[in-house]
Amino acid sequence: IFFACGIIPQRLIDSDARRLYHGRMSVPAISVQNLVKNYGAFRAVDGISFDVREGDFVAFLGPNGAGKTTLFNAMCGLVKPDSGKFEFEGKERAWPRTDELIDLGISRTLQGVGLFPELTVLENVMIGASKSASSGLISSALGLSGRDEERLKQRSMTALERVYASGIADMRADSLPYPVTKRVAIARALVSEPKILLLDEPAGGLGSSDIEWMNSLIHNLASQCSIILVEHHMDVVMSVCDRLYVLNFGQVIASGGVETVRRDEAVVAAYLGVNN
Ligand code: ATP
């Protein structure tokens, strides 16, 4: 299905490009310390700390219920942490609200694709530029003049090109196969030209060939922005990310490079044993 708009994207960006991009900033882009989130008496996230530097491709991996989505939602304003420190580009600040993300250069996709079915692909992507997504008339919803709307259309087309979907810009979202909607959701996140892209289970619900396609796509995007990925399939993240945090019961049980984590006894026992 993914092939409707092209072949599997080559991993075009070589490691030199990744290295050049990596780490221009001397402080972490995002630093989270001791994040705690309780749902009533249940502690879903139990003191998680991590850093994401400019250019990093970091993945959070863990079995169902490990706390990944709660952690993800805390970073994008959908969950209010009970405690924990959030630093952005070296400065401590309040946890971001959803309407602050674009100004911070953060963009996200969620587990549910959430496209507006009656709108075209292009219109759906344009909505990604809005601080509070709305399916009203695009220009009035975004408060744009005719010229600004034209610019946004161009930016949206560029975002669609980045996910190899410019050829379907005029199709209605409800006519698309599911794997293609996932790509459109990523384009919608890219339209604000984020410095940090948060992806919640981008391969969720995809078959193996579409997962391969998605992995190549994300790998290429990682040369252009920092990526924080949440995923419960180990094979999805192992082939793309630089650094992994493995969660279980709301805590980090292992972290480091892919090979280190793959061999970690706690990971093998708590994760591989359960899911593979
Ligand atoms: P999955 O891969 O299944 O999405 P996850 O690792 O993302 O799992 P979370 O969705 O963060 O895990 O959930 C962590 C724990 O918190 C789970 O036990 C879940 O049932 C619980 N939980 C999540 N959201 C809520 C909520 N709103 N109210 C109560 N408990 C919740």
Side-chain angles (χ1 to χ4, degrees):
I1 293 166
F2 256 132
F3 304 101
C5 307
I7 54 169
I8 290 182
Q10 296 296 308
R11 293 195 170 186
L12 296 172
I13 310 300
D14 60 30
S15 51
D16 287 344
R18 290 297 307 278
R19 272 198 293 277
L20 277 177
Y21 179 67
H22 198 93
R24 273 175 289 182
M25 205 189 297
S26 59
V27 291
I30 286 179
S31 178
V32 165
Q33 282 146 45
N34 282 318
L35 169 60
V36 171
K37 176 64 191 176
N38 300 310
Y39 293 113
F42 177 72
R43 182 156 289 192
V45 173
D46 187 10
I48 289 181
S49 302
F50 62 91
D51 285 344
V52 178
R53 305 192 82 85
E54 187 183 25
D56 270 358
F57 187 163
V58 173
F60 290 89
L61 180 72
N64 290 332
K68 307 178 298 293
T69 299
T70 303
L71 165 72
F72 184 95
N73 286 346
M75 281 187 286
C76 54
L78 296 169
V79 151
K80 193 173 177 326
D82 290 300
S83 59
K85 208 161 89 172
F86 182 83
E87 286 178 15
F88 185 74
E89 297 183 348
K91 293 199 186 85
E92 186 176 353
R93 52 152 293 147
W95 290 84
R97 299 189 314 262
T98 50
D99 62 348
E100 293 175 321
L101 294 176
I102 286 182
D103 289 339
L104 292 172
I106 300 174
S107 197
R108 59 175 164 82
T109 65
L110 298 178
Q111 260 180 46
V113 175
L115 299 183
F116 294 105
E118 75 284 5
L119 299 185
T120 67
V121 166
L122 181 64
E123 288 166 340
N124 268 287
V125 175
M126 289 169 72
I127 285 171
S130 163
K131 291 179 187 177
S132 54
S134 158
S135 68
L137 280 174
I138 304 292
S139 51
S140 60
L142 301 177
L144 298 176
S145 67
R147 185 193 287 178
D148 286 346
E149 186 179 348
E150 203 44 50
R151 280 203 202 108
L152 176 57
K153 273 188 186 157
Q154 282 167 15
R155 258 171 51 205
S156 302
M157 285 305 293
T158 303
L160 281 168
E161 281 161 17
R162 289 171 74 186
V163 301
Y164 302 85
S166 54
I168 57 167
D170 295 329
M171 288 176 71
R172 269 175 62 124
D174 57 5
S175 69
L176 302 177
Y178 180 71
V180 179
T181 64
K182 307 256 319 180
R183 268 197 284 164
V184 175
I186 292 179
R188 186 178 51 188
L190 292 174
V191 75
S192 60
E193 295 166 356
K195 290 186 281 188
I196 302 169
L197 181 61
L198 308 182
L199 300 171
D200 192 2
E201 300 202 10
L206 300 183
S208 56
S209 63
D210 289 324
I211 288 176
E212 191 188 343
W213 214 105
M214 184 61 83
N215 276 354
S216 291
L217 179 62
I218 294 170
H219 178 89
N220 287 346
L221 293 176
S223 66
Q224 300 152 34
C225 57
S226 310
I227 292 189
I228 303 176
L229 173 73
V230 163
E231 181 55 66
H232 71 266
H233 286 301
M234 194 167 232
D235 49 352
V236 170
V237 293
M238 285 296 181
S239 65
V240 288
C241 75
D242 301 325
R243 196 150 42 85
L244 272 170
Y245 291 87
V246 183
L247 310 187
N248 205 12
F249 301 115
Q251 297 183 332
V252 175
I253 58 166
S255 63
V258 169
E259 283 314 313
T260 310
V261 166
R262 198 198 294 274
R263 287 194 300 268
D264 188 283
E265 278 177 27
V267 175
V268 173
Y271 187 81
L272 289 176
V274 175
N275 286 282
N276 285 342

